Amino acid sequence: MSAAVAWDLAPTSTRPQLRLVPTGDAVVCRPAPRVRLTRRGRLSITLTVLAVVTWVAFLLAPGPSVQGLTIDHAVTVSAGQTLSEVAQTQLPQLPVNQGIVQIQVANNLSTADVHAGQSLLIPRVG
């Protein structure tokens, strides 16, 4: 006799049985289960809403106020002249860096770059 005959070769697990699935009028419609948010999901939604509100508030916030700024006169930039030279000659009572900032605010400039022929408004100081 061989070893194969001595072992029990019958399958150890049974095959799943088929189920009958109802069709037509016999089908019962069950409502979908309710979605439940976990703690992490609520935190995620809260942080997303907070980020959007902050972003919208940042976009709608007014820019720097220049209400107290009065313009004294206007100057045209000469060839080779820089903003620091304009500030030094036109606003001698202020340090150069403060004069540059005052001229930038009065003219709504984001950089210190100026070009020849550009007209700059000089604010009144004091």
Side-chain angles (χ1 to χ4, degrees):
M1 242 206 279
S2 71
V5 175
W7 290 343
D8 185 19
L9 295 177
T12 56
S13 64
T14 59
R15 185 172 158 186
Q17 299 295 319
L18 296 177
R19 288 187 179 178
L20 293 177
V21 179
T23 59
D25 292 335
V27 175
V28 177
C29 292
R30 293 187 184 133
R34 213 176 101 189
V35 176
R36 298 188 72 199
L37 284 176
T38 62
R39 187 176 191 180
R40 184 180 293 169
R42 288 189 302 268
L43 179 64
S44 169
I45 290 173
T46 302
L47 291 177
T48 302
V49 168
L50 183 64
V52 168
V53 167
T54 304
W55 182 69
V56 168
F58 179 73
L59 288 178
L60 297 178
S65 177
V66 287
Q67 293 174 349
L69 192 66
T70 54
I71 304 301
D72 189 33
H73 61 281
V75 174
T76 303
V77 179
S78 304
Q81 198 173 21
T82 63
L83 187 60
S84 59
E85 291 172 351
V86 173
Q88 189 174 14
T89 58
Q90 297 298 319
L91 301 171
Q93 65 274 27
L94 292 177
V96 176
N97 59 352
Q98 288 180 2
I100 291 172
V101 171
Q102 291 288 329
I103 294 173
Q104 284 177 326
V105 170
N107 292 283
N108 198 18
L109 299 174
S110 59
T111 65
D113 296 333
V114 291
H115 57 275
Q118 181 177 359
S119 180
L120 295 177
L121 301 174
I122 305 300
R124 180 172 307 180
V125 179

